[in-house]
Amino acid sequence: MKPSFWTNYHSHSHYCDGREAPEAQVRAARQQGVRAFGFSSHGPVPFANAWSMKPERLEGYLAETRALQQKYQGDIELYVGLEVDYVPGLCGPGTYAHALDFTIGSVHYVDQNWEGQPWEIDGATEGFMKGLVEVHGGDIQKVLRRYYALIREMVEQDPPLIVGHLDKIKIHNLNESLYREQDDWYQAEIDHTLEVIAAAGCVLEVNTRGMYKRNLDTYPSATILKKVLARNIPVMLNADSHAPEEITARFAEAAGVLQAVGFRTLRVLLDGTWQEVPFDQKGLFL
Ligand SMILES: [Zn+2]
Ligand SMILES: [Zn+2]
């Protein structure tokens, strides 16, 4: 039996809205059989929000995580990244890329809310519904088209290495109360977006946070993952952990979903090289 291991490149700490210090994440990652681990706090944004790193903490974040990278050399591979918001004209993956080993690009905001501020579509459903009704007249199709258009715009104009939680906006669609994923217009948005991601050569993450926080399926859904496989877009498994105990949460189950879809390898950053590694529900193996 070949020894198996996990990787997770999407993790938060007390530098943003995660719990505990980066080193506590590293210790937990080692205990959970992680061989390569990426720090990816929410990068600073040039407007007020409750969960991103404050701009004045960025330098300390980079210094502390780079020091950990040295300290744990030969023990666990550590990579320094950020999850960067794409907000046109304000910030995107390229903003900090020069200082990092990798970037995760995520769309957490769609244009403006009722107060003219960036409209957060990643938070409480109450705020999402208020924006949907007051700014968009309840037109969910218009909002989703705009959400996926922003992801395409990011990938085309300011591509990250990794595209974050592709269909996370579905957190507001419990029991398909707002839209049906199988509808033609929605699948057309997905097809178009995957086409753009494939052309740009980005890695798509399969993110388990909805599984362990909200009892949802993977981001993105298995129906989307079938299209991802058909387009040969590389995928990686990420937890989007906000606490040490979440670093490999629901990975076995998500790996099973990926196997069932037909994936046989995952994209990882190991020994400083991006490579495809086979996996099963116990982990990756070389
Ligand atoms: Zn995110
Ligand atoms: Zn995240």
Side-chain angles (χ1 to χ4, degrees):
M1 278 273 295
K2 290 171 182 165
S4 54
F5 57 90
W6 292 117
T7 62
N8 174 33
Y9 306 91
H10 192 157
S11 74
H12 300 273
S13 68
H14 69 197
Y15 275 98
C16 53
D17 60 347
R19 193 162 53 69
E20 298 197 34
E23 189 159 15
Q25 321 289 335
V26 174
R27 282 196 293 265
R30 289 172 74 237
Q31 283 163 5
Q32 292 172 43
V34 172
R35 176 166 162 181
F37 181 77
F39 302 104
S40 63
S41 271
H42 291 290
V45 292
F47 50 87
N49 84 0
W51 36 269
S52 291
M53 187 187 301
K54 300 286 172 267
E56 61 272 21
R57 296 195 75 191
L58 180 62
E59 207 175 309
Y61 169 78
L62 294 172
E64 184 171 337
T65 52
R66 289 292 180 202
L68 288 170
Q69 201 172 33
Q70 290 301 317
K71 178 175 173 182
Y72 284 88
Q73 210 169 24
D75 185 350
I76 177 172
E77 291 185 29
L78 299 175
Y79 295 98
V80 177
L82 285 171
E83 181 183 14
V84 186
D85 279 89
Y86 179 67
V87 185
L90 291 181
C91 55
T95 311
Y96 308 105
H98 60 278
L100 304 171
D101 298 326
F102 70 96
T103 51
I104 299 173
S106 297
V107 170
H108 300 113
Y109 296 95
V110 172
D111 301 330
Q112 283 79 43
N113 68 8
W114 52 95
E115 291 170 329
Q117 293 301 308
W119 178 34
E120 186 184 337
I121 52 80
D122 197 66
T125 291
E126 194 185 0
F128 178 79
M129 292 308 293
K130 187 173 162 74
L132 172 63
V133 171
E134 292 187 15
V135 182
H136 298 280
D139 190 343
I140 186 69
Q141 202 178 124
K142 180 180 158 216
V143 168
L144 282 161
R145 286 185 191 283
R146 190 67 193 128
Y147 171 73
Y148 284 108
L150 282 166
I151 294 175
R152 291 192 294 268
E153 188 179 301
M154 169 180 79
V155 168
E156 285 180 323
Q157 297 183 17
D158 190 358
L161 275 168
I162 302 159
V163 177
H165 46 62
L166 185 72
D167 67 349
K168 197 180 178 192
I169 199 166
K170 74 183 173 191
I171 59 176
H172 307 297
N173 192 36
L174 277 189
N175 302 313
E176 301 210 306
S177 55
L178 293 174
Y179 61 96
R180 286 155 45 99
E181 281 191 31
Q182 65 266 43
D183 281 355
D184 288 347
W185 68 268
Y186 185 79
Q187 288 302 322
E189 286 297 319
I190 295 296
D191 289 337
H192 187 187
T193 305
L194 294 182
E195 187 183 308
V196 168
I197 291 170
C202 299
V203 178
L204 189 76
E205 72 164 4
V206 176
N207 179 313
T208 61
R209 188 160 178 78
M211 300 173 83
Y212 62 84
K213 287 298 279 189
R214 299 172 184 262
N215 212 21
L216 298 174
D217 59 351
T218 47
Y219 307 133
S221 305
T223 49
I224 297 175
L225 289 171
K226 284 182 189 146
K227 296 180 167 190
V228 171
L229 179 66
R231 289 185 183 278
N232 275 317
I233 296 169
V235 297
M236 70 181 352
L237 188 53
N238 280 336
D240 201 352
S241 51
H242 285 62
E245 66 273 16
E246 295 172 350
I247 284 168
T248 56
R250 305 292 284 273
F251 270 20
E253 193 180 337
V257 170
L258 284 162
Q259 281 183 311
V261 168
F263 287 95
R264 294 294 171 259
T265 59
L266 297 175
R267 181 65 57 97
V268 296
L269 178 55
L270 273 183
D271 303 323
T273 307
W274 290 91
Q275 46 189 299
E276 288 288 315
V277 174
F279 72 100
D280 62 19
Q281 282 189 264
K282 292 196 189 73
L284 297 129
F285 44 91
L286 290 171

